[in-house]
Amino acid sequence: MPYQGLEQSIGFTMGMTYRKLTNFFQQRLREYAITPEQWSVLYQISKSDGLIQKEIALRTSKENPTVTRIIDHLEKEQLIHKRPGVQDRRSFVVYITDKGRQLINETTAINESVNDEVKKVISAEEYELMISLLLRINNHMQASIEKS
């Protein structure tokens, strides 16, 4: 196979695009004093109040230590609160506070504006196809990781 260079590497291209999208989102979240990483955790908690940390990690595709750090920060900022788990006292259940829900309500449009920015350069059909392909790649890679 001939050398194609980094610009033809799916990992490189996705990583570069991810960093630019994240930077774009972070700039718009700046006035709310929350990062895209923190926002994604808070958003998942807002969608399903009462999640355990392991479920939050799965839904955000983040490692448990990263989720622990983010949860501790969100709790310090009074955006969430934790309660001991019913089945397992060593774990805890995470709930969003009114302050956290207000922040998500105010910032969801910012997340949508990032998607809208992407939709300026591709058609609706291309956008749907891109999401479908990325999810297929994600699922395949997850299965490959679990096999090894």
Side-chain angles (χ1 to χ4, degrees):
M1 180 175 193
Y3 174 74
Q4 295 181 344
L6 285 178
E7 47 285 333
Q8 293 297 314
S9 163
I10 187 76
F12 178 80
T13 304
M14 287 175 66
M16 181 177 59
T17 305
Y18 167 78
R19 285 185 293 281
K20 288 179 181 170
L21 286 168
T22 300
N23 186 291
F24 187 79
F25 190 29
Q26 187 164 350
Q27 287 176 359
R28 280 146 184 79
L29 286 175
R30 189 170 290 131
E31 72 179 272
Y32 295 94
I34 191 168
T35 68
E37 242 187 1
Q38 294 162 355
W39 189 89
S40 68
V41 169
L42 187 61
Y43 179 76
Q44 288 302 322
I45 296 166
S46 76
K47 283 179 55 179
S48 299
D49 217 10
L51 292 173
I52 60 171
Q53 179 176 325
K54 183 177 180 180
E55 183 63 27
I56 295 167
L58 285 171
R59 290 180 184 207
T60 58
S61 295
K62 297 183 188 318
E63 299 291 324
N64 276 328
T66 301
V67 173
T68 298
R69 180 181 46 80
I70 292 171
I71 285 174
D72 288 347
H73 176 79
L74 295 175
E75 186 176 41
K76 183 178 146 226
E77 297 297 319
Q78 300 178 335
L79 299 170
I80 60 157
H81 63 93
K82 301 184 286 192
R83 292 187 193 146
V86 176
Q87 276 91 354
D88 184 355
R89 292 275 183 209
R90 294 170 297 173
S91 70
F92 52 85
V93 182
V94 182
Y95 297 91
I96 195 164
T97 63
D98 289 340
K99 181 180 177 183
R101 190 163 310 285
Q102 179 180 349
L103 189 139
I104 286 297
N105 289 341
E106 291 177 14
T107 56
T108 297
I110 295 171
N111 182 58
E112 291 168 5
S113 76
V114 174
N115 292 334
D116 291 342
E117 198 65 30
V118 171
K119 290 175 183 177
K120 288 180 180 179
V121 296
I122 61 177
S123 69
E125 294 80 19
E126 289 172 321
Y127 183 85
E128 293 302 319
L129 177 60
M130 180 181 65
I131 294 296
S132 174
L133 292 171
L134 288 172
L135 289 172
R136 190 182 324 160
I137 293 167
N138 180 65
N139 292 338
H140 173 75
M141 296 311 299
Q142 184 61 43
S144 295
I145 290 167
E146 289 170 2
K147 282 183 198 174
S148 47

